[in-house]
Amino acid sequence: MKKILFRLTDILELCIAYTFCFSLNLAFDYVKTLQITSDLLASFLRNFLPYQSIIVILSTFVVIVFHYQFSCRKKTEVFCRMLVGDTLFNIMVRYSLVCLIVLASIYLLSTMVNIYLGFSLTGNLYLALIFIVYILISARQVCKYENI
């Protein structure tokens, strides 16, 4: 854990961001199955259902911006680690590995909740695939700091 770019607060922020996206997807699935007796509340919640994919994509964009800001904040640390003797490949692998471990843990937790509630798992799978692709792209972003 000493050699990773993440600090405990960074891991916590990443967990919260992933949890927000997966929870938002879960909330939309819950609203689809909700039987509300109040017509006003039901109509209010059902107005957002046609825009579910757009809202979820915007929330994933927030996480992607977090990843980008994180890699920009860590460019000096990457440069210092390379001066000390760490290789850029090892830095990239550790960065990707930590991001994927955090994503996998939140994904599994969200999947267990979806299975327990009987909701579809496709939304979670799509979110996980989007995040995996961006984690791999952002690992290449870390490589760009080789020549600061």
Side-chain angles (χ1 to χ4, degrees):
M1 286 299 275
K2 287 183 185 178
K3 293 188 176 189
I4 62 173
L5 290 176
F6 288 97
R7 303 290 178 251
L8 185 60
T9 57
D10 297 330
I11 292 174
L12 185 63
E13 286 176 1
L14 192 59
C15 284
I16 290 170
Y18 286 149
T19 303
F20 173 72
C21 288
F22 285 108
S23 297
L24 190 62
N25 194 31
L26 179 70
F28 277 117
D29 287 341
Y30 182 69
V31 167
K32 286 179 187 176
T33 62
L34 196 59
Q35 300 297 330
I36 302 176
T37 57
S38 171
D39 291 331
L40 182 62
L41 184 60
S43 65
F44 175 74
L45 292 175
R46 301 227 189 262
N47 284 334
F48 292 106
L49 286 179
Y51 306 109
Q52 174 182 359
S53 59
I54 294 171
I55 294 170
V56 171
I57 287 172
L58 287 175
S59 70
T60 58
F61 182 71
V62 170
V63 176
I64 288 171
V65 167
F66 170 76
H67 271 282
Y68 178 76
Q69 287 178 343
F70 175 78
S71 64
C72 288
R73 283 185 292 183
K74 296 297 182 173
K75 65 182 174 183
T76 305
E77 187 173 343
V78 169
F79 182 69
C80 291
R81 285 177 187 248
M82 288 178 357
L83 285 177
V84 172
D86 202 359
T87 63
L88 194 58
F89 178 75
N90 289 339
I91 293 171
M92 279 182 9
V93 168
R94 286 191 300 266
Y95 171 80
S96 300
L97 190 62
V98 170
C99 288
L100 290 173
I101 287 172
V102 170
L103 175 64
S105 63
I106 299 298
Y107 173 74
L108 289 175
L109 181 68
S110 177
T111 300
M112 288 189 307
V113 170
N114 278 354
I115 289 172
Y116 178 74
L117 295 175
F119 297 149
S120 174
L121 299 176
T122 56
N124 282 352
L125 183 63
Y126 293 146
L127 281 176
L129 291 175
I130 289 170
F131 288 138
I132 288 171
V133 167
Y134 188 74
I135 287 169
L136 297 176
I137 291 171
S138 67
R140 288 297 299 166
Q141 181 72 24
V142 172
C143 284
K144 289 185 178 183
Y145 302 129
E146 184 176 16
N147 302 321
I148 294 180

